[in-house]
Amino acid sequence: MSSAWNNPNEVKKTFASASILKNERVVFNIKGNSYRLVVQFNYEKQWIFIRFIGTHSEYDKINADNI
């Protein structure tokens, strides 16, 4: 799958269950919400930076806006 997103709303159109956070971060639910993936987008350059991958309980212990 290839996509070129220019803003968080375009990400939500593709992944309705994604959560939009501040600081250009998006949280994706994986495997029925058992795991979480936090990425930081650079929409201009079409880059993503993986900030966190872990279980839901591990996610609850971090600050996804700043990690």
Side-chain angles (χ1 to χ4, degrees):
M1 177 178 185
S2 177
S3 296
W5 298 308
N6 296 305
N7 60 59
N9 292 329
E10 292 179 2
V11 175
K12 284 289 282 186
K13 285 181 185 176
T14 305
F15 295 100
S17 65
S19 299
I20 307 301
L21 306 178
K22 63 182 181 177
N23 298 327
E24 305 296 340
R25 286 171 168 75
V26 178
V27 179
F28 296 95
N29 299 316
I30 301 171
K31 196 182 171 239
N33 206 18
S34 295
Y35 297 92
R36 296 281 179 97
L37 168 66
V38 179
V39 299
Q40 183 177 19
F41 280 91
N42 181 321
Y43 294 102
E44 182 180 330
K45 293 184 179 183
Q46 293 292 293
W47 293 349
I48 65 164
F49 301 94
I50 297 173
R51 307 304 296 167
F52 172 83
I53 301 172
T55 65
H56 189 103
S57 61
E58 291 169 332
Y59 171 83
D60 289 340
K61 297 175 186 174
I62 66 165
N63 182 341
D65 289 324
N66 296 318
I67 194 167

Short mmCIF file of all heavy atoms in Angstrom, two decimals:
data_model
loop_
_atom_site.label_atom_id
_atom_site.label_comp_id
_atom_site.label_asym_id
_atom_site.label_seq_id
_atom_site.Cartn_x
_atom_site.Cartn_y
_atom_site.Cartn_z
N MET A 1 0.85 -1.18 0.00
CA MET A 1 0.00 0.00 0.00
C MET A 1 0.90 1.24 0.00
O MET A 1 1.83 1.36 0.77
CB MET A 1 -0.88 -0.01 1.25
CG MET A 1 -1.73 1.18 1.39
SD MET A 1 -2.73 0.96 2.90
CE MET A 1 -3.74 2.36 2.79
N SER A 2 0.59 2.16 -0.86
CA SER A 2 1.35 3.40 -0.94
C SER A 2 0.39 4.57 -0.84
O SER A 2 -0.66 4.58 -1.48
CB SER A 2 2.09 3.44 -2.28
OG SER A 2 2.76 4.66 -2.43
N SER A 3 0.74 5.52 -0.01
CA SER A 3 -0.10 6.70 0.17
C SER A 3 0.78 7.92 0.31
O SER A 3 1.93 7.83 0.75
CB SER A 3 -0.96 6.58 1.43
OG SER A 3 -1.87 5.51 1.30
N ALA A 4 0.24 9.05 -0.06
CA ALA A 4 0.94 10.33 0.11
C ALA A 4 -0.01 11.23 0.88
O ALA A 4 -0.90 11.84 0.31
CB ALA A 4 1.31 10.93 -1.23
N TRP A 5 0.16 11.28 2.20
CA TRP A 5 -0.70 12.09 3.05
C TRP A 5 -0.08 13.47 3.24
O TRP A 5 1.12 13.59 3.45
CB TRP A 5 -0.89 11.43 4.40
CG TRP A 5 -1.57 10.10 4.33
CD1 TRP A 5 -2.74 9.81 3.72
CD2 TRP A 5 -1.12 8.89 4.91
NE1 TRP A 5 -3.05 8.48 3.87
CE2 TRP A 5 -2.06 7.89 4.61
CE3 TRP A 5 0.00 8.53 5.65
CZ2 TRP A 5 -1.95 6.58 5.03
CZ3 TRP A 5 0.13 7.22 6.07
CH2 TRP A 5 -0.84 6.26 5.76
N ASN A 6 -0.92 14.48 3.20
CA ASN A 6 -0.46 15.86 3.37
C ASN A 6 -0.87 16.48 4.70
O ASN A 6 -0.45 17.58 5.02
CB ASN A 6 -0.95 16.73 2.22
CG ASN A 6 -0.35 16.28 0.90
OD1 ASN A 6 0.86 16.19 0.77
ND2 ASN A 6 -1.20 15.95 -0.06
N ASN A 7 -1.71 15.77 5.45
CA ASN A 7 -2.17 16.28 6.74
C ASN A 7 -2.83 15.14 7.51
O ASN A 7 -3.12 14.09 6.94
CB ASN A 7 -3.12 17.47 6.55
CG ASN A 7 -4.34 17.11 5.76
OD1 ASN A 7 -5.10 16.23 6.14
ND2 ASN A 7 -4.53 17.78 4.62
N PRO A 8 -3.06 15.34 8.80
CA PRO A 8 -3.65 14.27 9.62
C PRO A 8 -5.03 13.81 9.15
O PRO A 8 -5.38 12.64 9.29
CB PRO A 8 -3.74 14.89 11.02
CG PRO A 8 -2.77 16.00 11.01
CD PRO A 8 -2.69 16.50 9.61
N ASN A 9 -5.82 14.71 8.59
CA ASN A 9 -7.15 14.32 8.13
C ASN A 9 -7.07 13.28 7.02
O ASN A 9 -7.93 12.39 6.93
CB ASN A 9 -7.93 15.54 7.66
CG ASN A 9 -8.28 16.46 8.80
OD1 ASN A 9 -8.48 16.02 9.93
ND2 ASN A 9 -8.35 17.75 8.52
N GLU A 10 -6.07 13.36 6.18
CA GLU A 10 -5.90 12.37 5.12
C GLU A 10 -5.50 11.01 5.69
O GLU A 10 -5.91 9.97 5.17
CB GLU A 10 -4.87 12.86 4.10
CG GLU A 10 -5.37 14.04 3.30
CD GLU A 10 -4.36 14.57 2.30
OE1 GLU A 10 -3.25 14.00 2.19
OE2 GLU A 10 -4.69 15.57 1.63
N VAL A 11 -4.73 11.01 6.76
CA VAL A 11 -4.38 9.75 7.44
C VAL A 11 -5.67 9.12 7.99
O VAL A 11 -5.90 7.92 7.83
CB VAL A 11 -3.37 9.98 8.59
CG1 VAL A 11 -3.11 8.69 9.36
CG2 VAL A 11 -2.07 10.56 8.05
N LYS A 12 -6.52 9.92 8.61
CA LYS A 12 -7.78 9.42 9.18
C LYS A 12 -8.71 8.85 8.12
O LYS A 12 -9.46 7.92 8.38
CB LYS A 12 -8.51 10.52 9.95
CG LYS A 12 -7.94 10.84 11.30
CD LYS A 12 -8.18 9.75 12.31
CE LYS A 12 -9.59 9.77 12.85
NZ LYS A 12 -9.76 8.78 13.95
N LYS A 13 -8.67 9.39 6.91
CA LYS A 13 -9.50 8.85 5.82
C LYS A 13 -9.09 7.43 5.47
O LYS A 13 -9.92 6.61 5.10
CB LYS A 13 -9.41 9.74 4.59
CG LYS A 13 -10.17 11.03 4.71
CD LYS A 13 -10.05 11.84 3.43
CE LYS A 13 -10.71 13.19 3.60
NZ LYS A 13 -10.53 14.04 2.40
N THR A 14 -7.79 7.15 5.58
CA THR A 14 -7.29 5.81 5.27
C THR A 14 -7.41 4.88 6.47
O THR A 14 -7.77 3.71 6.33
CB THR A 14 -5.81 5.89 4.82
OG1 THR A 14 -5.70 6.80 3.73
CG2 THR A 14 -5.30 4.53 4.40
N PHE A 15 -7.09 5.39 7.66
CA PHE A 15 -7.11 4.60 8.90
C PHE A 15 -8.04 5.28 9.90
O PHE A 15 -7.59 6.07 10.74
CB PHE A 15 -5.71 4.47 9.48
CG PHE A 15 -4.76 3.70 8.62
CD1 PHE A 15 -3.85 4.35 7.80
CD2 PHE A 15 -4.79 2.31 8.60
CE1 PHE A 15 -2.97 3.65 6.99
CE2 PHE A 15 -3.92 1.59 7.79
CZ PHE A 15 -3.02 2.26 6.99
N ALA A 16 -9.31 4.96 9.83
CA ALA A 16 -10.31 5.63 10.66
C ALA A 16 -10.06 5.44 12.16
O ALA A 16 -10.41 6.31 12.96
CB ALA A 16 -11.70 5.13 10.30
N SER A 17 -9.42 4.34 12.55
CA SER A 17 -9.20 4.09 13.97
C SER A 17 -7.93 4.77 14.50
O SER A 17 -7.65 4.68 15.69
CB SER A 17 -9.12 2.59 14.25
OG SER A 17 -7.99 2.03 13.61
N ALA A 18 -7.17 5.41 13.63
CA ALA A 18 -5.96 6.10 14.08
C ALA A 18 -6.34 7.29 14.96
O ALA A 18 -7.38 7.91 14.78
CB ALA A 18 -5.15 6.59 12.88
N SER A 19 -5.47 7.58 15.93
CA SER A 19 -5.68 8.73 16.81
C SER A 19 -4.67 9.81 16.46
O SER A 19 -3.47 9.54 16.41
CB SER A 19 -5.50 8.33 18.27
OG SER A 19 -6.43 7.34 18.63
N ILE A 20 -5.16 11.01 16.24
CA ILE A 20 -4.31 12.14 15.90
C ILE A 20 -3.90 12.85 17.18
O ILE A 20 -4.75 13.22 17.99
CB ILE A 20 -5.04 13.13 14.96
CG1 ILE A 20 -5.60 12.40 13.74
CG2 ILE A 20 -4.13 14.27 14.58
CD1 ILE A 20 -4.58 11.69 12.89
N LEU A 21 -2.60 13.02 17.38
CA LEU A 21 -2.07 13.69 18.55
C LEU A 21 -1.41 15.00 18.12
O LEU A 21 -1.30 15.28 16.93
CB LEU A 21 -1.04 12.81 19.26
CG LEU A 21 -1.48 11.39 19.64
CD1 LEU A 21 -0.34 10.64 20.27
CD2 LEU A 21 -2.68 11.45 20.57
N LYS A 22 -0.92 15.74 19.10
CA LYS A 22 -0.18 16.96 18.75
C LYS A 22 1.23 16.58 18.31
O LYS A 22 1.61 15.41 18.36
CB LYS A 22 -0.16 17.93 19.93
CG LYS A 22 0.54 17.44 21.16
CD LYS A 22 0.45 18.47 22.26
CE LYS A 22 1.18 17.99 23.49
NZ LYS A 22 1.17 18.99 24.55
N ASN A 23 1.99 17.57 17.87
CA ASN A 23 3.37 17.38 17.42
C ASN A 23 3.48 16.42 16.23
O ASN A 23 4.43 15.66 16.12
CB ASN A 23 4.27 16.90 18.56
CG ASN A 23 4.36 17.89 19.69
OD1 ASN A 23 4.32 19.10 19.46
ND2 ASN A 23 4.47 17.41 20.91
N GLU A 24 2.46 16.46 15.36
CA GLU A 24 2.45 15.66 14.12
C GLU A 24 2.51 14.16 14.38
O GLU A 24 3.01 13.40 13.56
CB GLU A 24 3.59 16.09 13.19
CG GLU A 24 3.61 17.56 12.84
CD GLU A 24 2.40 18.03 12.04
OE1 GLU A 24 1.71 17.19 11.42
OE2 GLU A 24 2.13 19.24 12.04
N ARG A 25 2.02 13.73 15.51
CA ARG A 25 2.03 12.31 15.85
C ARG A 25 0.68 11.66 15.61
O ARG A 25 -0.36 12.27 15.79
CB ARG A 25 2.45 12.12 17.32
CG ARG A 25 3.93 12.37 17.54
CD ARG A 25 4.26 12.39 19.01
NE ARG A 25 5.67 12.33 19.30
CZ ARG A 25 6.51 13.34 19.14
NH1 ARG A 25 6.09 14.50 18.67
NH2 ARG A 25 7.79 13.20 19.43
N VAL A 26 0.74 10.38 15.23
CA VAL A 26 -0.46 9.58 15.01
C VAL A 26 -0.25 8.24 15.68
O VAL A 26 0.85 7.66 15.61
CB VAL A 26 -0.73 9.38 13.50
CG1 VAL A 26 -1.95 8.52 13.27
CG2 VAL A 26 -0.90 10.73 12.80
N VAL A 27 -1.29 7.74 16.33
CA VAL A 27 -1.25 6.42 16.98
C VAL A 27 -2.11 5.46 16.16
O VAL A 27 -3.27 5.75 15.87
CB VAL A 27 -1.79 6.48 18.43
CG1 VAL A 27 -1.77 5.10 19.06
CG2 VAL A 27 -1.01 7.48 19.26
N PHE A 28 -1.51 4.34 15.80
CA PHE A 28 -2.22 3.29 15.07
C PHE A 28 -2.42 2.10 15.99
O PHE A 28 -1.51 1.72 16.74
CB PHE A 28 -1.41 2.84 13.85
CG PHE A 28 -1.22 3.91 12.82
CD1 PHE A 28 -0.08 4.69 12.81
CD2 PHE A 28 -2.20 4.14 11.86
CE1 PHE A 28 0.10 5.67 11.85
CE2 PHE A 28 -2.03 5.12 10.90
CZ PHE A 28 -0.87 5.89 10.90
N ASN A 29 -3.61 1.52 15.96
CA ASN A 29 -3.92 0.31 16.71
C ASN A 29 -3.57 -0.89 15.84
O ASN A 29 -3.93 -0.94 14.66
CB ASN A 29 -5.40 0.27 17.08
CG ASN A 29 -5.78 1.43 17.96
OD1 ASN A 29 -5.07 1.77 18.89
ND2 ASN A 29 -6.90 2.05 17.66
N ILE A 30 -2.89 -1.85 16.42
CA ILE A 30 -2.46 -3.03 15.69
C ILE A 30 -3.00 -4.27 16.38
O ILE A 30 -3.01 -4.35 17.61
CB ILE A 30 -0.92 -3.10 15.62
CG1 ILE A 30 -0.36 -1.83 14.94
CG2 ILE A 30 -0.45 -4.35 14.89
CD1 ILE A 30 1.13 -1.70 15.01
N LYS A 31 -3.42 -5.24 15.58
CA LYS A 31 -3.93 -6.51 16.08
C LYS A 31 -5.05 -6.32 17.10
O LYS A 31 -4.97 -6.74 18.24
CB LYS A 31 -2.81 -7.36 16.67
CG LYS A 31 -3.20 -8.82 16.86
CD LYS A 31 -2.09 -9.62 17.49
CE LYS A 31 -2.61 -10.98 17.85
NZ LYS A 31 -2.51 -11.28 19.25
N GLY A 32 -6.09 -5.66 16.65
CA GLY A 32 -7.26 -5.48 17.50
C GLY A 32 -6.99 -4.67 18.74
O GLY A 32 -7.55 -4.94 19.78
N ASN A 33 -6.10 -3.69 18.63
CA ASN A 33 -5.76 -2.79 19.74
C ASN A 33 -4.88 -3.45 20.80
O ASN A 33 -4.73 -2.94 21.89
CB ASN A 33 -7.02 -2.19 20.36
CG ASN A 33 -6.77 -0.85 21.01
OD1 ASN A 33 -5.78 -0.18 20.74
ND2 ASN A 33 -7.65 -0.44 21.89
N SER A 34 -4.29 -4.60 20.47
CA SER A 34 -3.35 -5.24 21.40
C SER A 34 -2.02 -4.50 21.44
O SER A 34 -1.33 -4.49 22.45
CB SER A 34 -3.09 -6.69 21.00
OG SER A 34 -4.26 -7.45 21.11
N TYR A 35 -1.67 -3.90 20.30
CA TYR A 35 -0.41 -3.17 20.19
C TYR A 35 -0.68 -1.76 19.68
O TYR A 35 -1.71 -1.51 19.05
CB TYR A 35 0.54 -3.88 19.22
CG TYR A 35 0.94 -5.25 19.71
CD1 TYR A 35 0.20 -6.37 19.33
CD2 TYR A 35 2.02 -5.42 20.56
CE1 TYR A 35 0.55 -7.63 19.79
CE2 TYR A 35 2.37 -6.68 21.02
CZ TYR A 35 1.63 -7.78 20.63
OH TYR A 35 1.97 -9.02 21.10
N ARG A 36 0.26 -0.87 19.95
CA ARG A 36 0.17 0.51 19.49
C ARG A 36 1.45 0.88 18.75
O ARG A 36 2.54 0.50 19.16
CB ARG A 36 -0.02 1.48 20.66
CG ARG A 36 -1.31 1.30 21.44
CD ARG A 36 -2.45 1.95 20.69
NE ARG A 36 -3.72 1.80 21.34
CZ ARG A 36 -4.29 2.70 22.14
NH1 ARG A 36 -3.66 3.80 22.44
NH2 ARG A 36 -5.48 2.48 22.64
N LEU A 37 1.29 1.65 17.71
CA LEU A 37 2.39 2.20 16.93
C LEU A 37 2.22 3.71 16.93
O LEU A 37 1.17 4.22 16.52
CB LEU A 37 2.35 1.67 15.50
CG LEU A 37 3.26 2.35 14.47
CD1 LEU A 37 4.73 2.11 14.81
CD2 LEU A 37 2.94 1.85 13.08
N VAL A 38 3.23 4.43 17.41
CA VAL A 38 3.21 5.89 17.42
C VAL A 38 4.23 6.36 16.39
O VAL A 38 5.40 5.97 16.45
CB VAL A 38 3.56 6.48 18.80
CG1 VAL A 38 3.55 8.01 18.75
CG2 VAL A 38 2.61 5.97 19.88
N VAL A 39 3.77 7.15 15.44
CA VAL A 39 4.67 7.71 14.43
C VAL A 39 4.57 9.23 14.44
O VAL A 39 3.55 9.79 14.83
CB VAL A 39 4.39 7.17 13.02
CG1 VAL A 39 4.57 5.66 12.96
CG2 VAL A 39 3.01 7.56 12.54
N GLN A 40 5.64 9.85 14.02
CA GLN A 40 5.67 11.30 13.85
C GLN A 40 5.84 11.56 12.36
O GLN A 40 6.75 11.03 11.73
CB GLN A 40 6.81 11.92 14.64
CG GLN A 40 6.84 13.43 14.54
CD GLN A 40 7.95 14.01 15.40
OE1 GLN A 40 8.89 13.34 15.78
NE2 GLN A 40 7.83 15.28 15.71
N PHE A 41 4.95 12.36 11.81
CA PHE A 41 4.96 12.64 10.38
C PHE A 41 5.70 13.92 10.06
O PHE A 41 5.63 14.90 10.79
CB PHE A 41 3.52 12.81 9.86
CG PHE A 41 2.82 11.51 9.61
CD1 PHE A 41 2.07 10.92 10.60
CD2 PHE A 41 2.89 10.89 8.38
CE1 PHE A 41 1.40 9.73 10.37
CE2 PHE A 41 2.24 9.71 8.13
CZ PHE A 41 1.49 9.12 9.14
N ASN A 42 6.40 13.89 8.94
CA ASN A 42 6.87 15.09 8.28
C ASN A 42 6.15 15.07 6.94
O ASN A 42 6.58 14.40 5.99
CB ASN A 42 8.38 15.08 8.09
CG ASN A 42 8.88 16.34 7.40
OD1 ASN A 42 8.26 16.87 6.49
ND2 ASN A 42 10.02 16.83 7.85
N TYR A 43 5.01 15.74 6.89
CA TYR A 43 4.15 15.68 5.71
C TYR A 43 4.82 16.31 4.49
O TYR A 43 4.64 15.84 3.37
CB TYR A 43 2.81 16.37 5.99
CG TYR A 43 1.99 15.64 7.01
CD1 TYR A 43 1.92 16.09 8.33
CD2 TYR A 43 1.30 14.49 6.70
CE1 TYR A 43 1.17 15.42 9.29
CE2 TYR A 43 0.55 13.80 7.64
CZ TYR A 43 0.50 14.28 8.93
OH TYR A 43 -0.24 13.61 9.87
N GLU A 44 5.60 17.34 4.69
CA GLU A 44 6.25 18.03 3.58
C GLU A 44 7.23 17.10 2.84
O GLU A 44 7.24 17.04 1.61
CB GLU A 44 7.00 19.26 4.09
CG GLU A 44 7.67 20.06 2.99
CD GLU A 44 8.40 21.28 3.53
OE1 GLU A 44 7.97 21.84 4.56
OE2 GLU A 44 9.39 21.66 2.91
N LYS A 45 8.02 16.36 3.59
CA LYS A 45 9.01 15.46 2.99
C LYS A 45 8.49 14.04 2.79
O LYS A 45 9.19 13.19 2.24
CB LYS A 45 10.27 15.43 3.84
CG LYS A 45 10.98 16.77 3.84
CD LYS A 45 12.28 16.71 4.59
CE LYS A 45 12.95 18.07 4.53
NZ LYS A 45 14.24 18.08 5.17
N GLN A 46 7.27 13.78 3.28
CA GLN A 46 6.66 12.45 3.19
C GLN A 46 7.50 11.40 3.94
O GLN A 46 7.70 10.29 3.47
CB GLN A 46 6.47 12.04 1.73
CG GLN A 46 5.44 12.87 0.99
CD GLN A 46 4.03 12.63 1.53
OE1 GLN A 46 3.49 11.54 1.37
NE2 GLN A 46 3.44 13.63 2.15
N TRP A 47 7.96 11.78 5.13
CA TRP A 47 8.72 10.89 6.01
C TRP A 47 7.89 10.58 7.24
O TRP A 47 7.09 11.41 7.69
CB TRP A 47 10.00 11.55 6.49
CG TRP A 47 11.04 11.82 5.47
CD1 TRP A 47 11.11 11.37 4.18
CD2 TRP A 47 12.20 12.63 5.66
NE1 TRP A 47 12.22 11.84 3.57
CE2 TRP A 47 12.92 12.62 4.45
CE3 TRP A 47 12.70 13.36 6.72
CZ2 TRP A 47 14.11 13.31 4.29
CZ3 TRP A 47 13.88 14.05 6.56
CH2 TRP A 47 14.58 14.01 5.36
N ILE A 48 8.11 9.40 7.79
CA ILE A 48 7.57 9.10 9.12
C ILE A 48 8.73 8.64 10.00
O ILE A 48 9.70 8.06 9.51
CB ILE A 48 6.46 8.04 9.13
CG1 ILE A 48 6.98 6.68 8.68
CG2 ILE A 48 5.27 8.46 8.32
CD1 ILE A 48 6.07 5.55 9.02
N PHE A 49 8.60 8.94 11.25
CA PHE A 49 9.57 8.53 12.24
C PHE A 49 8.84 7.67 13.27
O PHE A 49 7.87 8.13 13.87
CB PHE A 49 10.20 9.73 12.94
CG PHE A 49 10.91 10.65 11.98
CD1 PHE A 49 10.24 11.74 11.45
CD2 PHE A 49 12.22 10.41 11.62
CE1 PHE A 49 10.88 12.59 10.56
CE2 PHE A 49 12.87 11.26 10.73
CZ PHE A 49 12.20 12.34 10.20
N ILE A 50 9.27 6.44 13.43
CA ILE A 50 8.64 5.57 14.42
C ILE A 50 9.14 5.99 15.79
O ILE A 50 10.33 6.01 16.06
CB ILE A 50 8.97 4.09 14.15
CG1 ILE A 50 8.39 3.68 12.80
CG2 ILE A 50 8.44 3.21 15.28
CD1 ILE A 50 8.79 2.30 12.35
N ARG A 51 8.19 6.37 16.64
CA ARG A 51 8.52 6.86 17.98
C ARG A 51 8.31 5.79 19.04
O ARG A 51 8.93 5.81 20.09
CB ARG A 51 7.67 8.10 18.32
CG ARG A 51 7.74 9.22 17.29
CD ARG A 51 9.13 9.71 17.02
NE ARG A 51 9.65 10.29 18.25
CZ ARG A 51 10.92 10.59 18.46
NH1 ARG A 51 11.82 10.37 17.54
NH2 ARG A 51 11.30 11.10 19.60
N PHE A 52 7.39 4.83 18.78
CA PHE A 52 7.09 3.80 19.78
C PHE A 52 6.36 2.65 19.11
O PHE A 52 5.48 2.86 18.27
CB PHE A 52 6.21 4.38 20.88
CG PHE A 52 5.70 3.36 21.86
CD1 PHE A 52 6.47 2.94 22.92
CD2 PHE A 52 4.44 2.81 21.70
CE1 PHE A 52 6.01 1.98 23.81
CE2 PHE A 52 3.96 1.86 22.59
CZ PHE A 52 4.75 1.45 23.64
N ILE A 53 6.71 1.43 19.50
CA ILE A 53 5.95 0.22 19.17
C ILE A 53 5.89 -0.59 20.45
O ILE A 53 6.93 -0.85 21.07
CB ILE A 53 6.64 -0.63 18.08
CG1 ILE A 53 6.83 0.16 16.79
CG2 ILE A 53 5.82 -1.89 17.81
CD1 ILE A 53 7.67 -0.57 15.76
N GLY A 54 4.69 -0.97 20.85
CA GLY A 54 4.58 -1.77 22.07
C GLY A 54 3.15 -2.20 22.33
O GLY A 54 2.24 -1.90 21.56
N THR A 55 2.98 -2.90 23.44
CA THR A 55 1.65 -3.36 23.82
C THR A 55 0.81 -2.17 24.29
O THR A 55 1.32 -1.10 24.58
CB THR A 55 1.73 -4.39 24.95
OG1 THR A 55 2.26 -3.75 26.11
CG2 THR A 55 2.59 -5.58 24.57
N HIS A 56 -0.46 -2.42 24.39
CA HIS A 56 -1.37 -1.38 24.88
C HIS A 56 -0.99 -0.96 26.30
O HIS A 56 -0.99 0.23 26.62
CB HIS A 56 -2.80 -1.90 24.83
CG HIS A 56 -3.83 -0.84 25.09
ND1 HIS A 56 -4.56 -0.27 24.09
CD2 HIS A 56 -4.22 -0.24 26.23
CE1 HIS A 56 -5.37 0.64 24.62
NE2 HIS A 56 -5.19 0.67 25.92
N SER A 57 -0.64 -1.92 27.15
CA SER A 57 -0.28 -1.57 28.53
C SER A 57 1.04 -0.79 28.58
O SER A 57 1.19 0.10 29.41
CB SER A 57 -0.22 -2.81 29.42
OG SER A 57 0.75 -3.71 28.96
N GLU A 58 1.99 -1.10 27.70
CA GLU A 58 3.23 -0.32 27.64
C GLU A 58 2.94 1.10 27.14
O GLU A 58 3.53 2.06 27.64
CB GLU A 58 4.24 -1.00 26.71
CG GLU A 58 4.79 -2.29 27.25
CD GLU A 58 5.59 -3.07 26.23
OE1 GLU A 58 5.33 -2.95 25.01
OE2 GLU A 58 6.49 -3.80 26.66
N TYR A 59 2.04 1.22 26.19
CA TYR A 59 1.65 2.52 25.66
C TYR A 59 1.07 3.40 26.76
O TYR A 59 1.32 4.61 26.80
CB TYR A 59 0.64 2.35 24.52
CG TYR A 59 0.02 3.63 24.05
CD1 TYR A 59 0.68 4.44 23.13
CD2 TYR A 59 -1.21 4.04 24.52
CE1 TYR A 59 0.11 5.63 22.68
CE2 TYR A 59 -1.79 5.22 24.09
CZ TYR A 59 -1.12 6.01 23.18
OH TYR A 59 -1.68 7.19 22.76
N ASP A 60 0.31 2.80 27.65
CA ASP A 60 -0.32 3.56 28.74
C ASP A 60 0.71 4.20 29.68
O ASP A 60 0.38 5.12 30.40
CB ASP A 60 -1.25 2.66 29.56
CG ASP A 60 -2.52 2.30 28.79
OD1 ASP A 60 -2.87 3.01 27.82
OD2 ASP A 60 -3.16 1.30 29.17
N LYS A 61 1.95 3.74 29.65
CA LYS A 61 3.00 4.25 30.53
C LYS A 61 3.83 5.36 29.90
O LYS A 61 4.71 5.91 30.56
CB LYS A 61 3.92 3.10 30.95
CG LYS A 61 3.21 2.03 31.74
CD LYS A 61 4.14 0.87 32.01
CE LYS A 61 3.35 -0.26 32.68
NZ LYS A 61 4.18 -1.47 32.84
N ILE A 62 3.57 5.70 28.63
CA ILE A 62 4.38 6.73 27.96
C ILE A 62 3.54 7.98 27.72
O ILE A 62 2.32 7.95 27.82
CB ILE A 62 4.94 6.22 26.62
CG1 ILE A 62 3.81 5.97 25.61
CG2 ILE A 62 5.82 4.99 26.82
CD1 ILE A 62 4.26 5.83 24.18
N ASN A 63 4.22 9.06 27.36
CA ASN A 63 3.54 10.26 26.91
C ASN A 63 3.74 10.33 25.40
O ASN A 63 4.79 10.73 24.92
CB ASN A 63 4.13 11.51 27.58
CG ASN A 63 3.44 12.77 27.16
OD1 ASN A 63 2.75 12.82 26.14
ND2 ASN A 63 3.61 13.82 27.94
N ALA A 64 2.75 9.86 24.66
CA ALA A 64 2.87 9.74 23.20
C ALA A 64 3.07 11.09 22.51
O ALA A 64 3.58 11.13 21.40
CB ALA A 64 1.65 9.02 22.64
N ASP A 65 2.67 12.18 23.15
CA ASP A 65 2.87 13.50 22.55
C ASP A 65 4.33 13.93 22.55
O ASP A 65 4.72 14.79 21.77
CB ASP A 65 2.06 14.56 23.31
CG ASP A 65 0.57 14.43 23.09
OD1 ASP A 65 0.17 14.08 21.96
OD2 ASP A 65 -0.18 14.67 24.05
N ASN A 66 5.12 13.33 23.43
CA ASN A 66 6.50 13.79 23.57
C ASN A 66 7.56 12.71 23.35
O ASN A 66 8.75 13.02 23.38
CB ASN A 66 6.70 14.38 24.97
CG ASN A 66 5.87 15.61 25.17
OD1 ASN A 66 5.78 16.44 24.28
ND2 ASN A 66 5.23 15.72 26.31
N ILE A 67 7.16 11.49 23.20
CA ILE A 67 8.14 10.42 23.06
C ILE A 67 8.92 10.55 21.76
O ILE A 67 8.46 11.02 20.77
CB ILE A 67 7.47 9.03 23.16
CG1 ILE A 67 8.52 7.96 23.35
CG2 ILE A 67 6.62 8.72 21.97
CD1 ILE A 67 8.01 6.64 23.77
#
